[in-house]
């Protein structure tokens, strides 16, 4: 065997060693995506032929693997017990494919969507009350 053939075979072996784990990960990811129920549209409704179970609705609403870009890095303090619980949820239910950031983002989005009318009504009431009150003069 010539030197060039040996170098080529070593390079091909190295590429193969690196590529095989990624190929298995892609196959596992595709299998998992077939079993997940993905929400249909922005409303988060699940379209399935039968009535979805609460577990299927939860997976579709919070654990479905959407890669959303985040515009900024904002830090929010949460209780350590909440952080631990969320970390366990994303690790076990999300199988390590869902980040804490993505999960919290989906939970907050669901809360804001579910309570949109109430939040808007309270916001308008409080804004109207604060606009009627005379502003205190600052010195």
């Amino acid at each position: 065997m010539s030197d060039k053939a040996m170098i080529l075979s070593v390079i091909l072996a190295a590429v193969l060693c690196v590529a095989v784990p990624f190929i298995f990960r892609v196959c596992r990811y595709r299998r998992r995506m077939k079993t997940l129920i993905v929400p249909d549209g922005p409303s988060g409704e699940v379209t399935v032929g039968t009535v979805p179970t609460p577990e299927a609705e939860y997976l579709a609403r919070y654990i479905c693997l959407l890669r959303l870009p985040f515009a900024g890095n904002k830090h929010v303090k949460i209780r350590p017990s909440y952080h631990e619980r969320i970390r366990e949820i994303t690790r076990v239910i999300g199988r390590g494919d869902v980040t804490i950031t993505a999960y919290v983002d989906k939970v907050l989005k669901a809360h804001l969507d579910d309570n949109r009318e109430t939040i808007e009504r309270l916001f308008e009431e409080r804004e109207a009350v604060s606009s009627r009150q005379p502003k205190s003069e600052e010195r």
Side-chain angles (χ1 to χ4, degrees):
M1 244 172 133
S2 70
D3 289 341
K4 289 182 182 180
M6 288 180 60
I7 291 173
L8 184 61
S9 63
V10 168
I11 290 172
L12 286 175
V15 168
L16 186 64
C17 289
V18 171
V20 167
F22 287 108
I23 292 170
F24 283 120
R25 288 179 85 186
V26 168
C27 292
R28 191 177 70 205
Y29 175 79
R30 286 187 178 178
R31 256 193 319 266
R32 197 175 304 155
M33 289 307 292
K34 286 180 183 177
T35 61
L36 273 179
I37 300 171
V38 180
D40 183 30
S43 65
E45 295 176 8
V46 179
T47 55
V48 180
T50 61
V51 177
T53 63
E55 291 84 6
E57 287 182 6
Y58 183 85
L59 288 172
R61 191 168 192 182
Y62 302 112
I63 305 296
C64 122
L65 303 172
L66 296 176
R67 305 286 186 218
L68 301 173
F70 292 97
N73 236 355
K74 304 293 182 189
H75 297 277
V76 177
K77 294 182 181 181
I78 61 172
R79 295 179 186 178
S81 59
Y82 291 172
H83 183 272
E84 181 64 27
R85 184 70 176 144
I86 293 169
R87 189 174 65 78
E88 288 297 311
I89 290 169
T90 57
R91 184 181 66 80
V92 175
I93 298 174
R95 297 179 179 143
D97 291 330
V98 178
T99 64
I100 291 175
T101 303
Y103 180 80
V104 169
D105 182 67
K106 289 180 181 203
V107 169
L108 288 173
K109 181 183 180 317
H111 168 76
L112 293 173
D113 289 345
D114 292 348
N115 299 293
R116 175 177 281 125
E117 294 85 17
T118 305
I119 292 170
E120 288 174 356
R121 188 172 54 250
L122 286 170
F123 187 85
E124 289 170 3
E125 287 174 9
R126 302 288 165 90
E127 193 174 49
V129 169
S130 67
S131 66
R132 281 189 248 136
Q133 292 178 350
K135 303 212 182 223
S136 60
E137 294 181 25
E138 294 181 17
R139 293 182 186 217

